């Protein structure tokens, strides 16, 4: 990546994204966050310079800077991503840690974060804005729709389909061929052996509705 990156969000997700970019020697120009307590300070020697809608800084996007959206709330990330596309005609870049493994024949959309030690296998497919935590595994042919979050150490087995905005907790295992519905939530450490309907929360081994 030739251009420096501006990260929108300077909390835990922004810190993870910053680590991913710096692991690849990508220059991060600054971070932006709406929390005034975080502004006019530094995060790992990178300045936090203003709000996420700072037009003076956002006008650098495109020719001079790339952008990554790392706000904590999914709705906020979607809103900011849409704003960037509509007002600045840019889409967020992917933040892939140098110690992650993404197969040549995996397919990734825009604005995904792949943590250290994570694996995205051949023919896996990620939409836009997905978060794949450290040491998580997305196996062959698995599909994550937009804004899916996969916690650290979770395993998404071959052929699994995870619908938009679903949450897979840390260390969870989704067995091959299972479908996780939109906005469903899988508790940390759960083993999911059957389909999970949209908006449902499951937990346990085997995972059951909470």
């Amino acid at each position: 990546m030739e251009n420096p990156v501006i990260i929108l969000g300077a909390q835990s997700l922004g810190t993870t994204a910053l680590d991913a970019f710096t692991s690849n020697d990508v220059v991060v120009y600054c971070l932006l966050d709406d929390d005034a307590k975080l502004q006019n300070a530094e995060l790992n020697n990178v300045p936090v310079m203003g709000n996420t809608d700072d037009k003076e800084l956002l006008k650098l996007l495109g020719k001079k800077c790339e952008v990554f959206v790392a706000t904590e709330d999914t709705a906020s990330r979607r809103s900011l991503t849409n704003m960037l596309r509509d007002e600045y005609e840019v889409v967020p870049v992917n933040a892939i840690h140098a110690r992650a493994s993404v197969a040549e024949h995996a397919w990734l959309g825009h604005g995904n974060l792949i943590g250290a030690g994570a694996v995205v296998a051949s023919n896996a497919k990620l939409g836009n804005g997905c978060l794949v935590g450290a040491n998580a595994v997305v196996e062959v042919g698995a599909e994550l729709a937009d804004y899916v979050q996969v916690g650290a150490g979770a395993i998404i087995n071959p052929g699994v389909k995870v619908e938009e905005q679903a949450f897979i907790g840390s260390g969870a295992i989704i067995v091959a061929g299972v479908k996780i519905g939109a906005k469903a939530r899988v508790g940390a450490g759960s083993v999911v052996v059957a389909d999970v309907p949209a908006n449902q929360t499951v937990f346990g081994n085997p995972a059951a509705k909470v």
Side-chain angles (χ1 to χ4, degrees):
M1 194 179 302
E2 295 182 1
N3 290 334
V5 177
I6 294 175
I7 297 175
L8 307 187
Q11 299 179 46
S12 61
L13 191 55
T15 303
T16 304
L18 175 60
D19 181 53
F21 286 119
T22 55
S23 76
N24 289 287
D25 297 322
V26 173
V27 174
V28 175
Y29 181 77
C30 69
L31 300 101
L32 302 177
D33 199 283
D34 295 334
D35 187 344
K37 291 182 290 187
L38 298 175
Q39 297 169 6
N40 301 312
E42 289 189 346
L43 178 61
N44 297 348
N45 301 316
V46 178
V48 182
M49 296 181 68
N51 292 325
T52 55
D53 60 355
D54 189 315
K55 297 190 183 304
E56 287 301 308
L57 288 167
L58 294 181
K59 71 181 182 181
L60 298 173
L61 301 179
K63 294 181 179 179
K64 294 183 178 180
C65 286
E66 306 292 347
V67 66
F68 184 82
V69 180
T71 52
E72 305 297 309
D73 178 65
T74 300
S76 172
R77 288 193 291 120
R78 290 186 67 180
S79 176
L80 284 169
T81 299
N82 291 336
M83 178 272 289
L84 293 168
R85 184 189 64 231
D86 295 342
E87 295 185 24
Y88 298 93
E89 298 182 344
V90 297
V91 293
V93 295
N94 290 316
I96 302 173
H97 198 283
R99 295 200 306 275
S101 174
V102 178
E104 179 181 356
H105 293 289
W107 188 93
L108 273 64
H110 302 289
N112 296 295
L113 175 59
I114 314 295
V119 175
V120 180
S122 185
N123 297 103
K125 182 176 180 180
L126 276 62
N128 301 311
C130 294
L131 308 176
V132 179
N135 301 310
V137 178
V138 182
E139 284 281 14
V140 171
E143 296 183 12
L144 309 184
D146 293 348
Y147 299 100
V148 167
Q149 184 169 344
V150 179
I155 300 175
I156 311 298
N157 275 290
V160 169
K161 288 182 167 47
V162 185
E163 298 296 334
E164 186 168 331
Q165 297 185 61
F167 174 88
I168 312 297
S170 297
I173 298 173
I174 316 299
V175 302
V178 163
K179 180 178 178 180
I180 307 296
K183 297 185 179 180
R185 297 181 66 83
V186 175
S190 298
V191 178
V192 181
V193 299
D195 292 355
V196 178
N199 300 302
Q200 190 169 103
T201 298
V202 298
F203 180 76
N205 180 10
K209 181 180 177 181
V210 175

